[in-house]
Amino acid sequence: MLGAVRLRGLLNWLTHRSEFERFQPTSPHWHLVRIGTAGDKRGQGVGTALLKGRLAVVDGKGDVAHLESSSPMSERLYRRFGFEAVGSFKLPYGALIVPMTRPSQLRPAVVTRHP
């Protein structure tokens, strides 16, 4: 089954690549792909842990992150991490895809002046 899911995802991307690419940031960014958990593990913090780990790397570099949500549950998760919807489109079999981008989280260094 896993092979079929991967193959379907690849075929969807190849077939609808222009839709996926249309919403990507034009500036350099990280494209986070295929973040997901098995059905029996959902709601246990696994997706949150996966996302935190990857975003720690992205944030450490001060970069922008982009991904696509394919369910309302994942969209809510991504919004909690600061992702914002930049559009939406439907795949032929009905799945609603919501591309989401998260601005750089790099905070400017605080400069302290001493007398």
Side-chain angles (χ1 to χ4, degrees):
M1 167 121 172
L2 185 57
V5 170
R6 287 182 182 160
L7 180 59
R8 185 174 84 177
L10 175 62
L11 291 174
N12 280 332
W13 185 83
L14 289 172
T15 304
H16 306 287
R17 183 170 65 191
S18 64
E19 285 293 318
F20 283 93
E21 290 175 345
R22 181 165 66 114
F23 295 105
Q24 287 188 22
T26 55
S27 61
H29 62 279
W30 289 68
H31 191 162
L32 307 179
V33 182
R34 308 302 268 171
I35 298 172
T37 57
D40 63 336
K41 301 297 181 200
R42 290 188 185 130
Q44 298 179 27
V46 176
T48 297
L50 289 169
L51 198 52
K52 275 184 181 178
R54 181 50 52 203
L55 289 176
V57 174
V58 173
D59 291 347
K61 296 184 178 294
D63 291 338
V64 171
H66 179 80
L67 48 69
E68 290 88 15
S69 170
S70 58
S71 75
M73 186 177 191
S74 63
E75 186 177 346
R76 283 190 300 275
L77 171 66
Y78 301 149
R79 285 185 187 281
R80 286 198 324 255
F81 280 92
F83 284 88
E84 299 173 9
V86 294
S88 67
F89 62 95
K90 277 195 172 191
L91 294 176
Y93 62 87
L96 178 66
I97 303 298
V98 179
M100 304 180 81
T101 299
R102 181 177 182 258
S104 170
Q105 301 296 302
L106 186 65
R107 292 179 174 79
V110 175
V111 177
T112 306
R113 295 184 186 240
H114 298 281

